[in-house]
Amino acid sequence: MDNIEVAAFRHARSQMQLGMLKFVSKWLSNTLAMGVIMQQRKHRIFNRCPRCHDWGEDRLHVLVCWDSRAKIIRRQYLDTLHQLLLQTSTHPDINSFIMEGVSQFFRQPHTREEERYEEHWKWEQQLIGWYNFLSGFIGKALVETQQDHFKALGLRNKGKQWASKIIAHNWHMMYKQWLGRNEVLHQKEFINSISGAALLDIEIEREYEIGCEDLPQTAHRWFNMTKQQLLEKSIDYKKGWLLIVRKLRESLNIADYSIFSSSRALRKWVGLNK
């Protein structure tokens, strides 16, 4: 942290509203409920991105997702970032360096920048990385270079306050990406797909094949329709069907082992853990 402008970071945090502050804290501590985290917590079976449906949704993916909605947010961010740099009298070299660095990161997030810079402030920020830049970590040397530029222009502006504005702008972009993916995530169809809709059908077929002979007579009515008719029912109906049949077998200690026996995420989704 010796090469990070911590004062600007702290100042940006101090200006955040409570909701935004909570988001930033969770983002930086990697505790937001994104795909890989929810899978690790056993709250989801799959870790897919709700926007592009790619696997392994983590913080980096939220920023660089190739879905068209995510691309629009990135384009808007780059446009407003450029405006901010111009409005705050940013040194032209710093302006170009930041815009090129962030743009390149969005295009190739997994490629480490190899260019060798003579200027210490460029080399230092390159070492810190552009993902970290977007997360609020700006190099001290870069901020000091901007402070020298303010002095050369005869301005009383402070480099740390300049950096604080950029950090806040970056965090708002990240928040927009997060809200955008949440809007898609909370659509019922996608929630069902990542929670285990395909596995639900497989389990229903298995339970149906086992039959109802070992169940109480009152439960036989759940097997009156054909298997195909059952599978064509809504997700909610099928979840309810499996809940009733599976819970009965478990209460009688006659349930076979399946993924719905061991997966906490699937059991919670269907209602077996209640």
Side-chain angles (χ1 to χ4, degrees):
M1 293 289 287
D2 290 344
N3 59 348
I4 303 295
E5 185 46 73
V6 178
F9 180 92
R10 289 174 176 167
H11 183 265
R13 280 177 61 92
S14 71
Q15 302 301 304
M16 295 287 102
Q17 294 183 352
L18 182 58
M20 186 67 174
L21 185 60
K22 288 182 178 179
F23 163 76
V24 171
S25 298
K26 289 184 176 182
W27 178 278
L28 296 175
S29 61
N30 197 22
T31 55
L32 285 168
M34 58 192 67
V36 294
I37 300 299
M38 293 298 282
Q39 189 179 50
Q40 289 168 6
R41 294 174 181 171
K42 302 187 185 302
H43 292 168
R44 292 278 187 274
I45 292 296
F46 305 116
N47 58 25
R48 291 163 56 198
C49 168
R51 291 184 291 190
C52 72
H53 296 184
D54 202 359
W55 297 94
E57 186 205 31
D58 56 11
R59 289 179 296 179
L60 175 60
H61 184 88
V62 171
L63 291 182
V64 300
C65 173
W66 51 267
D67 180 79
S68 60
R69 290 159 291 194
K71 289 179 179 178
I72 289 173
I73 293 174
R74 288 197 294 274
R75 284 198 297 267
Q76 292 173 341
Y77 160 75
L78 289 172
D79 288 343
T80 53
L81 175 63
H82 185 54
Q83 293 173 13
L84 175 63
L85 294 175
L86 292 175
Q87 291 169 359
T88 54
S89 302
T90 303
H91 191 293
D93 288 348
I94 295 178
N95 189 328
S96 299
F97 175 70
I98 290 176
M99 294 302 301
E100 290 171 8
V102 174
S103 298
Q104 177 65 18
F105 169 77
F106 284 153
R107 288 192 298 269
Q108 296 177 304
H110 300 287
T111 302
R112 185 71 179 179
E113 192 177 4
E114 298 294 339
E115 186 171 349
R116 305 296 180 185
Y117 295 106
E118 294 183 3
E119 300 94 330
H120 175 65
W121 60 271
K122 289 184 178 180
W123 174 85
E124 183 181 75
Q125 189 60 55
Q126 180 192 36
L127 185 65
I128 293 168
W130 292 106
Y131 170 82
N132 287 326
F133 172 86
L134 293 172
S135 297
F137 302 112
I138 300 180
K140 281 184 177 180
L142 190 153
V143 178
E144 290 169 356
T145 301
Q146 178 60 33
Q147 179 65 63
D148 292 340
H149 180 62
F150 283 145
K151 290 181 180 179
L153 294 175
L155 301 174
R156 294 185 178 182
N157 303 40
K158 300 296 182 182
K160 293 177 182 178
Q161 292 179 350
W162 167 85
S164 176
K165 292 178 181 178
I166 295 175
I167 292 170
H169 189 69
N170 292 347
W171 287 343
H172 278 98
M173 180 273 296
M174 294 192 306
Y175 193 46
K176 284 184 179 179
Q177 291 286 22
W178 181 247
L179 293 179
R181 61 81 70 184
N182 284 348
E183 183 178 353
V184 179
L185 172 68
H186 293 144
Q187 295 173 6
K188 193 171 185 179
E189 182 178 350
F190 187 78
I191 281 285
N192 285 330
S193 72
I194 63 174
S195 296
L199 295 174
L200 175 65
D201 282 353
I202 293 172
E203 185 70 3
I204 285 176
E205 288 192 64
R206 195 184 68 83
E207 290 285 357
Y208 194 94
E209 292 297 331
I210 293 173
C212 59
E213 286 75 13
D214 56 356
L215 296 177
Q217 187 68 34
T218 54
H220 289 195
R221 65 188 181 91
W222 294 103
F223 291 79
N224 287 341
M225 70 184 76
T226 67
K227 181 172 65 176
Q228 188 58 39
Q229 287 173 330
L230 176 57
L231 292 173
E232 290 174 356
K233 293 288 187 179
S234 69
I235 290 286
D236 287 342
Y237 184 93
K238 289 187 288 187
K239 284 167 63 179
W241 186 94
L242 183 62
L243 172 62
I244 291 169
V245 174
R246 182 77 195 181
K247 205 164 190 177
L248 269 174
R249 293 200 202 279
E250 290 181 358
S251 68
L252 297 170
N253 292 320
I254 58 173
D256 291 344
Y257 176 82
S258 76
I259 192 171
F260 280 81
S261 307
S262 57
S263 171
R264 189 170 67 186
L266 283 174
R267 291 182 67 82
K268 182 178 179 181
W269 179 57
V270 172
L272 285 166
N273 276 348
K274 293 181 180 178

